[in-house]
Amino acid sequence: MDNTKIGHYGEDLACKFLRKNGYRILERNYRIRGGEIDIVAKDKDTLAFVEVKTRWSHEYGLPYESMTPWKIRSLLRTARFYIQKIGWGDREYRLDFVSVDFATSKENPKMELIKNITS
């Protein structure tokens, strides 16, 4: 599987996982020039911008290790653009992270949700 297919597969699994955890998926792969958000969802009354990282091995580190300060700044910039576009105003929003880790089992990935990765 190439990286694009792996990414989409991981995002599909992440959407199912988020729904089971009470999220409502609003949009996928929201793009602006210079940024992308994998999943835009609502968790109760909070808008959640979700980054998904799928890994088949730990050769390049654990999934959450991909969340560098640069990546977080890029996600926040894109999220703020989305918030302005939809007129979200001063209501709550946050950045969440879902890891889809196939390193120990290719049939049953370990999935983890980290809420509010900026705090």
Side-chain angles (χ1 to χ4, degrees), residues 24-30 37-42 47-50 82:
R24 186 166 54 91
I25 307 303
L26 303 176
E27 196 163 339
R28 289 182 61 177
N29 303 114
Y30 174 74
I37 300 213
D38 295 327
I39 300 169
V40 180
K42 278 189 78 180
L47 195 58
F49 298 95
V50 184
Y82 185 89

Side-chain angles (χ1 to χ4, degrees), residues 82-89 91:
Y82 185 89
I83 287 165
Q84 184 178 21
K85 181 186 113 175
I86 66 165
W88 188 251
R91 292 179 281 172

Side-chain angles (χ1 to χ4, degrees), residues 42-83:
K42 278 189 78 180
D43 180 23
K44 299 181 181 80
D45 293 329
T46 302
L47 195 58
F49 298 95
V50 184
E51 174 71 6
V52 179
K53 182 54 91 176
T54 305
R55 291 273 167 95
W56 289 92
S57 77
H58 294 158
E59 181 178 349
Y60 299 104
L62 297 170
Y64 72 87
E65 293 175 321
S66 68
M67 293 307 299
T68 63
W70 181 88
K71 180 67 174 176
I72 290 170
R73 279 192 305 274
S74 175
L75 289 168
L76 282 171
R77 184 175 48 249
T78 306
R80 289 181 185 122
F81 190 92
Y82 185 89
I83 287 165

Side-chain angles (χ1 to χ4, degrees), residues 74-110:
S74 175
L75 289 168
L76 282 171
R77 184 175 48 249
T78 306
R80 289 181 185 122
F81 190 92
Y82 185 89
I83 287 165
Q84 184 178 21
K85 181 186 113 175
I86 66 165
W88 188 251
D90 291 334
R91 292 179 281 172
E92 285 190 48
Y93 71 94
R94 67 174 189 252
L95 296 180
D96 291 354
F97 180 80
V98 172
S99 67
V100 182
D101 191 346
F102 286 95
T104 55
S105 172
K106 302 304 182 210
E107 294 81 31
N108 190 20
K110 179 182 176 192

